[in-house]
């Protein structure tokens, strides 16, 4: 895409009265009640890039166009990930207790850097995540899901957000990162505060990082078979500070995205007439529902951000040096110019050209394990509760008022029967997989022999975990049974702690 020179644009620079008057708030009820309507109105009024307010008096640009978002994410020379370039804080216009700070403050992570340093840190995160065996992750997710479902009461009601989608990822991530089980519920609460930009955002962010500082200290002294230890041992040689901040990235991005993707997929399956047949083994599959959600209601609808390195023009709008540009992921997916999008003629089944994971060098490195966790969570629930149905009309479901996440407040359901959990693969239940040799830090001693673990195996050779994840009719019968006593005992104990049993 050719970017015209600023002189060719008649639009006023941001910060002037004309700009402020046309800016739409990207917070509160407007973005929660009808975000698709908001994006359509902004597109009709301003085109592919629209002026917005993130807080009263804090302006930014929302990139709504699909090609414009690709330009934004691929042109590091014009649009940097370094939030220290943002002119609003430089001009003293961002309050010390602003709800935007947790999501926009600079940290030494792959999210906030460009060029070679970003590549170094991205390699550490991506290669650490690649050490997790996908088949084992699937079985572990299913075991956690079974434990949660088994703990529900006999009244045939549940809230699939509070009792399932919001708890399940932390059951998996708590174990995967080597965190104590009892920290899980508190982490969920803290993440919700700063992702929702609530009044408790700043304090929640500080407490969240304190938990991870302690974890890094412990794993530096006593490494284990977990993501934290592997990240610390990576050849990139991350400092403790870098490791803590990247654990924040993994937990927030992995947990919050997985929660929202799970909840939004279950909502689609329970409310969309085309997908209702899935509950009876219809033609459309859970995998199709996952893809449609990423097009229509991606778990992250907007993401901060990029900062202009110089005056330029994008989408016909004059962008000043230091302006913040927000990635309108949901809006770009709905760009009428995108043939494969929800408004196009090709449909979304099997179409993964969406921008739900971002684009360019900063595309999400955890999308494959996230897909595996969500697909397993949804399939397990629908198998265990085959007559699942909404307990309220679909239009009564409420969304959280977050400018970033597309997340339901609750998803109340009714069911009348349980199907027993399936028998897990004994090869993985006995922990037959092995950890690959850890990458050595520069100047570090040679690694010891590979350590036995049920989490990892040899490096992955498949391009996507979805290839090994069942996506046929979810009502296919499964062999009744449970996991090995030790594994079920661990999961039931942790799930019971979640439920207050």
């Amino acid at each position: 895409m050719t970017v015209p020179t600023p002189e060719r644009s008649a639009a006023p620079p941001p910060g002037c009265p004309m700009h402020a008057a046309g800016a739409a708030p990207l917070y509160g009820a407007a973005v929660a009640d009808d975000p698709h309507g908001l994006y359509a109105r902004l597109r009709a009024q301003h085109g592919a890039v629209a002026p917005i307010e993130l807080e009263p008096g804090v302006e930014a640009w929302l990139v709504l166009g699909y090609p414009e978002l690709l330009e934004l994410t691929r042109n590091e020379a014009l649009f940097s990930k370094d939030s220290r370039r943002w002119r609003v804080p430089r001009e003293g216009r961002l309050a010390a207790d602003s709800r935007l700070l947790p999501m926009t403050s600079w940290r030494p992570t792959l999210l906030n850097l460009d060029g070679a340093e970003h590549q170094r840190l991205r390699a550490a995160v991506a290669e650490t995540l690649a050490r997790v065996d996908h088949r084992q992750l699937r079985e572990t997710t299913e075991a956690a899901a079974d434990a949660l479902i088994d703990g529900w009461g006999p009244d045939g009601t549940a809230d699939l957000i509070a009792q399932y989608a919001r708890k399940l990822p932390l059951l998996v991530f708590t174990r995967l990162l080597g965190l104590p089980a009892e920290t899980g519920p508190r982490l969920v609460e803290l993440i919700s505060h700063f992702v929702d930009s609530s009044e408790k955002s700043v304090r929640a962010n500080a407490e969240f990082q304190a938990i991870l500082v302690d974890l890094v200290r412990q794993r530096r002294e006593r490494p284990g078979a977990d993501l934290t230890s592997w990240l610390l041992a990576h050849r990139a040689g991350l400092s403790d500070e870098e490791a803590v901040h990247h654990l924040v990235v993994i937990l927030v991005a992995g947990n919050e995205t997985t929660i929202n993707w799970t909840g939004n997929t279950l909502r689609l399956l329970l409310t969309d007439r085309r997908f209702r047949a899935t509950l009876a083994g219809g033609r459309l599959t859970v995998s199709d529902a996952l893809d449609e959600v990423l097009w229509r209601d991606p778990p992250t609808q907007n993401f901060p951000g990029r900062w202009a390195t110089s005056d330029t023009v994008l989408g016909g709008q004059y962008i000043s040096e230091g302006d913040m540009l927000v990635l309108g992921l949901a809006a770009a997916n709905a760009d009428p110019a995108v043939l494969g999008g929800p408004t196009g003629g090709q449909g979304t089944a099997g179409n993964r050209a969406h921008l739900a994971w971002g684009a360019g060098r900063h595309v999400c490195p955890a999308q494959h394990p996230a897909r595996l966790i969500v697909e397993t969570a949804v399939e397990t629930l629908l198998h265990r509760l085959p007559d699942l149905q909404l307990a309220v009309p679909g239009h009564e479901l409420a969304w959280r008022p977050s400018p970033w996440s597309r997340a339901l407040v609750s998803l109340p359901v009714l069911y009348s029967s349980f199907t027993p959990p399936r028998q897990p693969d004994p090869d993985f239940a006995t922990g037959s997989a092995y950890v690959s040799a850890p990458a050595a830090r520069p100047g570090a001693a040679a690694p010891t022999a590979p350590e036995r673990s049920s989490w990892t195996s040899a490096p992955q050779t498949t391009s996507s975990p979805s290839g090994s994840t069942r996506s046929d009719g979810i009502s296919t019968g499964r062999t009744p049974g449970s996991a090995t006593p030790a594994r079920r005992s661990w999961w039931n104990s942790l799930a019971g702690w979640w439920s207050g049993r």
Side-chain angles (χ1 to χ4, degrees), residues 442-494:
T448 57
E451 137 183 51
R452 190 179 182 91
S453 169
S454 62
W455 270 112
T456 59
S457 65
Q460 300 295 315
T461 58
T462 57
S463 61
S464 169
S466 59
S468 62
T469 303
R470 183 177 57 249
S471 59
D472 53 349
I474 53 82
S475 62
T476 302
R478 305 185 185 187
T479 305
S482 60
T484 60
R487 183 175 297 277
R488 291 293 292 168
S489 174
W490 190 93
W491 283 119
N492 285 333
S493 174
L494 184 53

Side-chain angles (χ1 to χ4, degrees), residues 173-418:
F173 282 113
T174 296
R175 190 178 188 196
L176 187 57
L177 269 69
L179 281 161
E182 62 270 16
T183 63
R186 183 57 180 160
L187 288 177
V188 171
E189 183 179 357
L190 295 173
I191 291 172
S192 296
H193 282 315
F194 64 79
V195 171
D196 279 350
S197 297
S198 76
E199 66 277 1
K200 300 179 181 178
S201 291
V202 177
R203 284 185 297 174
N205 187 50
E207 182 180 345
F208 179 80
Q209 292 197 57
I211 292 172
L212 298 181
V213 167
D214 187 58
L215 174 65
V216 166
R217 178 186 58 79
Q218 293 180 24
R219 287 297 177 265
R220 185 74 80 180
E221 297 172 356
R222 298 183 299 278
D226 53 66
L227 282 178
T228 305
S229 301
W230 302 335
L231 190 63
L232 291 170
H234 191 271
R235 65 180 181 276
L238 271 64
S239 67
D240 284 6
E241 181 186 17
E242 288 176 326
V244 167
H245 287 310
H246 283 87
L247 292 179
V248 172
V249 171
I250 291 171
L251 272 172
V252 174
N255 183 71
E256 185 70 16
T257 300
T258 303
I259 290 169
N260 301 342
W261 196 6
T262 301
N264 295 354
T265 302
L266 290 169
R267 170 187 170 272
L268 178 67
L269 289 167
L270 292 169
T271 60
D272 192 303
R273 183 174 302 175
R274 294 168 303 143
F275 284 97
R276 287 294 300 180
T278 303
L279 301 177
R283 182 176 61 85
L284 291 172
T285 67
V286 168
S287 182
D288 294 328
L290 292 175
D291 290 330
E292 180 139 345
V293 165
L294 291 178
W295 278 104
R296 289 171 46 179
D297 283 308
T300 302
Q301 60 176 332
N302 301 301
F303 193 77
R306 297 293 193 277
W307 286 268
T309 61
S310 62
D311 292 353
T312 187
V313 169
L314 181 67
Q317 297 283 14
Y318 183 100
I319 311 296
S320 292
E321 182 275 329
D323 277 3
M324 179 180 177
L325 298 101
V326 175
L327 281 66
L329 303 176
N333 283 347
D335 189 336
V338 181
L339 295 179
T343 58
Q346 296 182 8
T348 60
N351 186 339
R352 298 182 184 175
H354 56 76
L355 298 175
W357 303 114
R361 294 182 180 180
H362 285 268
V363 68
C364 176
Q367 56 185 287
H368 295 324
R371 185 181 187 94
L372 179 56
I373 292 171
V374 174
E375 187 162 5
T376 303
V378 172
E379 288 189 341
T380 301
L381 181 73
L382 298 181
H383 166 72
R384 295 295 309 277
L385 307 175
D387 62 349
L388 195 68
Q389 59 181 305
L390 271 181
V392 298
H395 66 269
E396 293 185 7
L397 296 174
W399 299 89
R400 283 161 46 195
S402 170
W404 318 121
S405 297
R406 183 61 171 161
L408 288 164
V409 173
S410 64
L411 188 59
V413 294
L414 304 172
Y415 58 90
S416 61
S417 62
F418 281 96

Side-chain angles (χ1 to χ4, degrees), residues 49-62:
V49 179
I52 56 170
E53 278 193 332
L54 297 173
E55 287 183 340
V58 177
E59 76 281 351
W61 298 98
L62 180 63

Side-chain angles (χ1 to χ4, degrees), residues 133-148:
D133 181 82
H134 289 157
R135 293 176 64 194
Q136 177 63 22
L137 179 59
R138 177 184 174 184
E139 192 245 303
T140 302
T141 302
E142 186 167 353
D146 283 334
L148 286 172

